[in-house]
Amino acid sequence: MVLRDDTINQTMLVPMDLRKLIPKDHPCYFIKNVADHIDCSKANREFADTPGEFAYPRELLLRLVLMSVFDGGLSSREIERRTQTDVGYMYLAGMQHPSYRTILRFKRDYSDLIDEAFKMTIKIATEEDLVKIHHVSVDGTKIKAKTSINKLTNEQQLKIMKQHLEKSIKLDEEENEELGEESGNSVPETLTDEEKFKEVFKKVNKSSKDDRNKDKLRASSKKLLKQAEENPEKILKKVETLEEKLNESEKDVISINDPDARFMKNKKGRWEFDYNAQIAVDEHKGIIIASHVTNNPSDHHELIPAIEQVKSNLSEIYNEIPSNFQVSADNGYSTDINTEYLEQEGLDGYISSRKFSRKEKKYNLTEKPFSKDNFNYDNEIKTYICPLGQPLYCVKEYEYKNKPRIAYWTKECKSCSVQEYCVKSQRYKTISDYGNPSKIRMQRKMETSEAQEIYKLRSKTVELPFANMKQNMHLTEFTTTGLKQVNTEFKLYAIGHNLKRIYNEINMKNN
C-alpha cells in the first residue's frame, strides 16, 4: 500500500489554509492514510438509518480514535477537546467537533472496524518489510479491571438482594391494585405519628444489628439496592445476570461493576479483579500480530487462540502463510494440548519447561544439588546425567493413571560417595518423565543449548510491547467493563503500538 495524502473524502473536505499550519512529517497524514484504506461504507450505511443522530462519517471517527492511540491512548473527552485546539486533530476531523459520547459509542458499537484497523497495521508493516514471521513470541500480562474488591458480591448477597427486590416489586403491584386511580401520595399512618415512627425505626435498626454476618448486606449491595428506588425491575434483572455470571465463573465471588472480571494474582503478589491480556509479537521489529483478552487467570489455554489469530490475520495478507515458523512461550503455556498442537501444525515450538524456568531464575539450584532440575538430559545417548557425571539409563516405560511414564536409574548409586545425600532412604536415584510424549519431547528439546539461545529471543521480543503500553501509553487499568469492550480497548492499544513502530521505521528510512 502506498501511503500518500490523496484520499480525502468529499464529506470531510479540509480547508487548504489548515494544511499550511501542519508540518509535512506530522503523523496525522500517516494516520489519515491508514484509516482511509479501511472500508467503512457498510458502517456508514448502517448508521445512516439510525434516527436522531448527527451522521458523522465513520471514517472521521476512526481517524480520531487511531490518532488518539498513536498519541498514547487519549480519553474520549480529550479527543473532543483536541478537535478544537490541535491542528492535527482538526485536520483529521475535517473541522467537525464530535462529542465524547459520540466517540465512546463508536468504540463500543464498531469493534469490527477496530479489528480491521488492527489487521491493516499488520498489512502496512508487512509491505514496509517490518514483519518477517520467522520467530513469534506469545505472552500475557495481568491488567486491572475497572472495579475493586469493595464492589464484590457472592451467592448469599445476591439471594438477599433478589428477595428484597421481588418483595418490593410485589408490594408495588399490590399497591397499584388497591389504590386504583388514586395517586398514592398520602403519608402512611406510621410516619404521621411521631411515637409510631420512632418505634418502626427502632425495629428496623435492631433487625440490622441482630443479623448474622452472612445475612448482612455489604455496602456495595446496599448501593445497588438504592438504585432500585427508581426502577426495581431493571436492578432485579441485573441481579439475575450477576447470578448467571457467578454460576458460569464457578467462583465464590463476583464483581458487581464488571462481572466478567476475575480474581487474579498480579506480579506484585496482590489479589485483585483483573483481565489476562495476550499478544503474539513478530521478532523482527516488534510488531504485534495477534491480541486478545481473556478472564482465565492462567495462560494454559491461550497459546492456541493466539496462534490461530496469527494465521487468520496473515491469511488476508499472504497468498501462502509462512510455515514452520518459530513460536516461543514461557512455562505457563507448557501443557500437553499446546505441545501437541505445535507438532500437529508443523510449528517449531520453544516452550520453557519448569526446569529451564527455575534454572534461569537460579531457583533452589544450590540448596538442592541433587534435585531433578540438576540432572541434565543428553539427547545423543538418551540418558539423564547426574551432577557427578553418572548416566541414568531408561529402564522402564509404563502408564500411571492413564498417563505414560518413563523411569531412569542406575545401579551405580549403591557405590556412590554421596548416596545418602542424593537418594536419602531409597537405594537408587530414579528420574521419571511423565505426561504426553509431545510435552516430554519439548522438555528434552529445551535441554539443548541451541533451543535455549533461540528462547532468549522471547524476552527481547514480547516484553517490549507490554512495557510500551504500560509505561508510555499508561495502560495500568482498563476504562471499560465487560469482556467484549475490554478486548476492543486492548486492541486499540495494540494498534497504537504498531502505528508508532511503523511510523518511526518509515521516518528512519526516509531520513
Side-chain angles (χ1 to χ4, degrees):
M1 177 174 56
V2 179
L3 297 178
R4 61 181 189 274
D5 189 22
D6 62 355
T7 55
I8 291 183
N9 192 304
Q10 293 301 314
T11 62
M12 295 173 283
L13 293 176
V14 179
M16 293 300 295
D17 291 343
L18 185 60
R19 295 194 193 185
K20 294 178 181 179
L21 302 175
I22 305 175
K24 291 183 179 180
D25 60 347
H26 195 284
C28 69
Y29 297 117
F30 169 69
I31 296 299
K32 178 181 176 298
N33 277 275
V34 174
D36 289 353
H37 278 84
I38 299 170
D39 185 8
C40 298
S41 57
K42 181 180 178 182
N44 283 328
R45 287 195 301 270
E46 293 174 352
F47 190 73
D49 297 332
T50 305
E53 300 276 2
F54 183 80
Y56 289 106
R58 303 298 91 179
E59 294 91 340
L60 182 152
L61 297 175
L62 182 60
R63 292 174 180 181
L64 293 176
V65 169
L66 295 186
M67 190 73 228
S68 71
V69 295
F70 181 91
D71 284 337
L74 304 181
S75 68
S76 298
R77 290 180 185 272
E78 180 64 15
I79 297 173
E80 179 187 359
R81 188 185 69 80
R82 292 204 180 194
T83 59
Q84 304 176 44
T85 60
D86 189 308
V87 290
Y89 284 79
M90 290 179 186
Y91 169 73
L92 293 174
M95 297 301 291
Q96 301 295 318
H97 309 294
S99 70
Y100 75 92
R101 291 187 181 89
T102 300
I103 297 167
L104 276 173
R105 284 195 295 268
F106 173 79
K107 293 179 183 178
R108 180 192 66 199
D109 298 337
Y110 292 93
S111 58
D112 55 337
L113 287 182
I114 292 171
D115 287 340
E116 288 302 315
F118 177 64
K119 294 175 184 177
M120 185 58 66
T121 63
I122 303 172
K123 184 175 182 180
I124 296 171
T126 303
E127 293 176 356
E128 293 292 331
D129 201 30
L130 304 179
V131 174
K132 296 295 187 183
I133 314 298
H134 171 66
H135 184 99
V136 176
S137 298
V138 180
D139 199 9
T141 188
K142 307 293 192 301
I143 299 177
K144 190 178 182 304
K146 189 184 177 182
T147 185
S148 70
I149 58 174
N150 296 324
K151 301 296 182 182
L152 61 81
T153 188
N154 56 29
E155 184 179 2
Q156 182 68 13
Q157 293 279 300
L158 292 172
K159 183 179 178 181
I160 296 170
M161 282 192 285
K162 193 173 181 180
Q163 289 173 349
H164 279 293
L165 289 166
E166 288 175 343
K167 185 177 179 180
S168 174
I169 294 171
K170 185 177 179 181
L171 288 173
D172 285 344
E173 292 173 350
E174 291 175 353
E175 185 181 74
N176 290 337
E177 291 179 4
E178 183 179 346
L179 293 174
E181 299 298 325
E182 295 182 23
S183 66
N185 291 328
S186 57
V187 181
E189 183 182 352
T190 52
L191 300 183
T192 57
D193 189 318
E194 185 176 351
E195 294 301 321
K196 288 185 178 180
F197 172 74
K198 288 181 179 179
E199 184 179 347
V200 171
F201 181 78
K202 186 177 179 181
K203 287 181 179 179
V204 172
N205 197 32
K206 186 176 184 302
S207 174
S208 178
K209 289 181 178 179
D210 290 345
D211 279 345
R212 291 176 296 171
N213 287 334
K214 70 172 186 175
D215 295 330
K216 284 186 177 180
L217 286 177
R218 299 175 184 268
S220 55
S221 301
K222 291 178 182 178
K223 186 175 180 180
L224 185 60
L225 281 178
K226 183 73 174 174
Q227 299 173 16
E229 292 179 358
E230 297 180 1
N231 192 340
E233 288 85 1
K234 179 181 178 180
I235 302 302
L236 177 60
K237 186 176 180 181
K238 181 173 182 177
V239 170
E240 290 173 344
T241 302
L242 287 170
E243 280 186 323
E244 294 175 4
K245 293 282 187 180
L246 182 62
N247 292 332
E248 291 173 4
S249 71
E250 298 181 351
K251 304 293 182 182
D252 296 329
V253 296
I254 197 170
S255 168
I256 291 177
N257 286 4
D258 190 353
D260 285 339
R262 295 288 180 269
F263 250 148
M264 302 183 193
K265 191 175 184 180
N266 62 21
K267 287 188 176 180
K268 295 181 180 179
R270 293 170 51 189
W271 287 90
E272 61 186 10
F273 281 109
D274 285 347
Y275 282 100
N276 188 355
Q278 300 280 322
I279 57 173
V281 186
D282 182 71
E283 180 263 338
H284 181 52
K285 291 295 181 180
I287 299 295
I288 299 174
I289 53 179
S291 77
H292 73 279
V293 177
T294 177
N295 55 11
N296 191 337
S298 75
D299 295 330
H300 295 341
H301 308 289
E302 306 311 321
L303 181 70
I304 296 175
I307 300 301
E308 287 298 314
Q309 189 185 146
V310 168
K311 291 183 175 182
S312 175
N313 292 340
L314 297 180
S315 65
E316 301 181 18
I317 300 171
Y318 294 95
N319 293 327
E320 185 177 350
I321 300 174
S323 60
N324 197 34
F325 54 87
Q326 297 173 354
V327 177
S328 64
D330 63 28
N331 187 43
Y333 300 86
S334 181
T335 65
D336 295 347
I337 295 175
N338 288 339
T339 52
E340 269 189 359
Y341 170 82
L342 292 174
E343 288 188 354
Q344 290 171 0
E345 295 296 314
L347 299 175
D348 188 11
Y350 296 87
I351 300 181
S352 177
S353 62
R354 188 194 69 156
K355 175 182 177 180
F356 181 58
S357 296
R358 290 161 71 96
K359 180 180 178 181
E360 280 194 314
K361 298 176 182 178
K362 299 180 180 179
Y363 180 77
N364 284 346
L365 295 183
T366 56
E367 295 177 14
K368 299 178 180 179
F370 298 105
S371 68
K372 182 180 177 180
D373 289 347
N374 287 309
F375 283 68
N376 296 319
Y377 186 82
D378 191 316
N379 275 294
E380 293 185 2
I381 59 177
K382 309 299 181 185
T383 61
Y384 274 96
I385 308 296
C386 85
L388 298 182
Q390 175 62 46
L392 279 71
Y393 302 99
C394 175
V395 294
K396 188 177 182 182
E397 295 187 22
Y398 61 102
E399 283 195 3
Y400 179 73
K401 294 184 178 179
N402 297 323
K403 290 185 178 181
R405 286 200 173 194
I406 306 173
Y408 297 82
W409 62 285
T410 177
K411 295 181 179 180
E412 300 299 324
C413 288
K414 62 182 180 180
S415 59
C416 181
S417 59
V418 295
Q419 181 191 29
E420 58 180 307
Y421 302 106
C422 180
V423 301
K424 296 183 180 180
S425 61
Q426 305 296 321
R427 295 181 62 192
Y428 306 106
K429 181 72 174 183
T430 302
I431 299 294
S432 296
D433 283 334
Y434 49 89
N436 190 287
S438 63
K439 185 176 179 180
I440 294 175
R441 284 191 288 270
M442 179 63 72
Q443 291 172 349
R444 292 174 179 172
K445 181 180 183 179
M446 294 306 297
E447 294 268 356
T448 64
S449 58
E450 294 84 357
Q452 293 175 10
E453 285 299 315
I454 292 173
Y455 180 79
K456 288 180 181 179
L457 293 173
R458 175 188 160 276
S459 60
K460 301 175 183 177
T461 302
V462 79
E463 299 294 344
L464 293 179
F466 278 138
N468 180 37
M469 287 189 225
K470 291 182 177 181
Q471 297 297 323
N472 301 328
M473 303 176 76
H474 311 294
L475 177 57
T476 56
E477 179 178 346
F478 286 116
T479 59
T480 55
T481 58
L483 189 57
K484 182 180 178 181
Q485 295 302 319
V486 165
N487 255 296
T488 299
E489 182 178 354
F490 183 67
K491 190 144 287 183
L492 282 171
Y493 279 94
I495 291 171
H497 169 83
N498 284 353
L499 289 174
K500 200 79 172 180
R501 294 290 303 121
I502 296 167
Y503 178 76
N504 290 340
E505 290 292 333
I506 291 176
N507 273 356
M508 287 176 63
K509 286 181 183 178
N510 294 338
N511 296 331

